[in-house]
Amino acid sequence: MLEPLIYDLSSPGRTGVTMPEPDVPRFDFPADLLRDDLPLPEVSQIDVTRHFTRLSRLNMAIDTTMYPLGSCTMKYNPRVNEDVARMAGFAHAHPLQDPVTVQGALYLMYQLQEFLKEIGGFAGVSLQPAAGAQGEFTGILIMRAYHRARGDHKRVKMLIPDSAHGTNPASSAMAGLKVVELPSDARGNVDLDALKASLDDTVCGLMITNPNTLGMFEEHIEEVVKAVHAAGGLVYGDGANMNALLGIAKPGEIGFDVMHYNLHKTFSTPHGGGGPGSGPVAVARHLVDFLPGPIVRPTPGSEKDAEGVPLYEWFTPRHSIGRMRAFWGNFGMLARAYTYIRVHGEEGLRAVSKHAVLNANYVQARIRHVYPVPHGERHCMHEVIAQGKLAGAPDVRALDIAKRLMDYGFHPPTNYFPLIVPEALMIEPTETESKQTLDEFVDALLAIAEEARQSPELLKSAPHTAPLKRLDEVKAAKDLVLCCRVG
Ligand SMILES: *Cc1c(COP(=O)(O)O)cnc(C)c1O
């Protein structure tokens, strides 16, 4: 069943608002500026409210449904974050305001930079990038600038494991580098021999995700880092998956040179539907001078002569790669992430990661005898990668299982990623789901496996409860119909 269009609710002469009498002289527009060919729906307030509330409920959302979309960390977005982001002093600040008048906002950004340095074990942070992928691109430009500043112009290759997120090779290619793919070994780690065989003086660096997108902690990460450094390369960490590591391991201390965070994953700022996101970049000591500016620092000397001297100021590092976006980053997201970190504190953040890992392992332990888990002999980290290949149901695919989950009231997990796992179902429960919800989700998966054997057509034709059934997803993405008049 399709929802009525707002135009179908239109009734001539009905209005939603009453305009006050103008208190300025009326102005008659020239006739050639007016048009009759713009029919707008004539609806009352309650028509509009009901219409859009109904539409909003057609979506599966984290506020209504467990949303185990692997690698995307769809955790609950605490409402206190929203309160802070909406504080009038933050929400109404203008990006061109004199820094003296927005010292609170600068303080928040400075503190967030410091928190992110501490959490990852890095020496400097820029909050500029507006997404994880833009953080990657930023980090790669920094790596490139570092090599060039040393007169080392031969380094044109980026090594990337085959389990990597698609944005990794894309960001590298955008920065003009040649991508070299590294295989994974039988235990789900990057293949050390293949890595060593690829290392030479043309390598800009290695882009690695740890835990990787197989949900595995790289068992030889220190050796990997050492080998890349020995060849003169740098190590980029894709930090989108920090939800497993908070307060437990610091990539900077493991030897990573650059890493981006996804505030809109690990630090609970809402995402989906295209943004806004935030992908701050953190770097080790030897790269701080290349960070994109402006970043916030305490004003030199401000402690001594506090009269009229701002405590915090913008500054751009000496060899900065430049700006990555207009103004100061997606400030609302920074306010939300700052609040999340402050509310949790050190122990709270550590508990987040411990519970995220525990929840994923609980799901793994309960489904592994039915759904193949390629590295099920190991503990997973924050996510478990299963396969939609069920004994006794040869025609059923991961997509069918994912769609059928919607009938049970769950958002589907990521499927067909990572690319190296056939029929992948990438399940990331996050720490914010209770044991009861995890059990309901697992029970649904087990029931679906039974259905797959008894009545596979039930899965093939799923979802049955959604307003639209199976869409041509490629066409829907490439040929998006945004207008509300169809056809
Ligand atoms: C989400 C994600 C990214 C990209 O982040 P965006 O904010 O979507 O650009 C990169 N790497 C991994 C592993 C991710 O999960």
Side-chain angles (χ1 to χ4, degrees), residues 71-72 131-134 136 165 167-168 209 213 238 240-241 260 262 264-265:
S71 209
C72 294
Q134 203 192 15
E136 292 170 21
H165 195 267
T167 49
N168 290 191
T209 312
T213 64
D238 179 335
N241 289 354
H260 79 267
N262 273 37
H264 50 289
K265 291 180 183 172

Side-chain angles (χ1 to χ4, degrees), residues 141-410:
L141 293 185
I142 291 172
M143 292 161 77
R144 218 180 55 171
Y146 169 82
H147 291 307
R148 287 184 181 174
R150 292 152 50 94
D152 191 348
H153 295 277
K154 287 200 302 289
R155 297 190 177 269
V156 292
K157 285 196 302 215
M158 187 66 88
L159 311 182
I160 303 180
D162 57 5
S163 58
H165 195 267
T167 49
N168 290 191
S171 310
S172 301
M174 252 178 81
L177 298 173
K178 191 167 159 283
V179 173
V180 178
E181 185 176 293
L182 299 176
S184 301
D185 70 13
R187 283 180 61 79
N189 301 306
V190 61
D191 188 303
L192 260 181
D193 293 334
L195 168 70
K196 288 179 178 165
S198 310
L199 285 169
D200 58 29
D201 64 359
T202 65
V203 168
C204 174
L206 166 76
M207 266 189 116
I208 193 163
T209 312
N210 186 38
N212 61 32
T213 64
L214 296 166
M216 295 289 130
F217 193 90
E218 286 286 341
E219 291 173 300
H220 312 295
I221 189 66
E222 285 174 316
E223 204 178 337
V224 166
V225 169
K226 230 185 354 213
V228 175
H229 285 166
L234 296 173
V235 177
Y236 184 98
D238 179 335
N241 289 354
M242 277 299 281
N243 215 39
L245 300 188
L246 301 174
I248 294 168
K250 297 187 180 188
E253 287 180 358
I254 296 171
F256 285 31
D257 302 282
V258 200
M259 187 183 84
H260 79 267
Y261 292 92
N262 273 37
L263 299 189
H264 50 289
K265 291 180 183 172
T266 313
F267 300 102
S268 82
T269 73
H271 62 301
S278 184
V281 167
V283 295
R285 174 101 22 228
H286 48 284
L287 299 178
V288 289
D289 282 344
F290 299 97
L291 278 171
I295 55 189
V296 184
R297 71 174 176 193
T299 308
S302 63
E303 297 287 356
K304 279 171 259 142
D305 47 358
E307 274 314 299
V309 180
L311 294 175
Y312 295 93
E313 66 175 16
W314 298 114
F315 102 112
T316 297
R318 210 155 25 125
H319 304 300
S320 176
I321 58 164
R323 270 180 184 275
M324 292 307 292
R325 73 188 301 284
F327 301 117
W328 328 110
N330 276 335
F331 181 77
M333 291 313 212
L334 307 181
R336 290 176 176 93
Y338 168 84
T339 307
Y340 182 80
I341 293 172
R342 282 290 306 274
V343 165
H344 281 79
E346 186 178 333
E347 276 312 313
L349 289 180
R350 190 172 294 121
V352 161
S353 284
K354 285 183 176 173
H355 285 117
V357 172
L358 181 63
N359 279 1
N361 278 282
Y362 181 71
V363 171
Q364 169 168 311
R366 279 207 60 200
I367 64 171
R368 153 174 84 178
H369 63 289
V370 176
Y371 288 85
V373 174
H375 300 287
E377 76 285 359
R378 292 180 60 183
H379 279 131
C380 64
M381 299 297 285
H382 59 297
E383 60 198 357
V384 50
I385 288 66
Q387 287 179 290
K389 296 206 295 194
L390 297 162
D395 295 334
V396 165
R397 306 191 60 207
L399 182 70
D400 306 320
I401 296 161
K403 297 291 184 193
R404 183 64 179 146
L405 265 171
M406 294 167 71
D407 292 336
Y408 282 83
F410 294 100

Side-chain angles (χ1 to χ4, degrees), residues 391-393 396 447-459:
V396 165
I448 290 170
E450 201 45 47
E451 289 174 349
R453 279 183 283 274
Q454 306 294 336
S455 39
E457 67 291 346
L458 209 53
L459 277 67

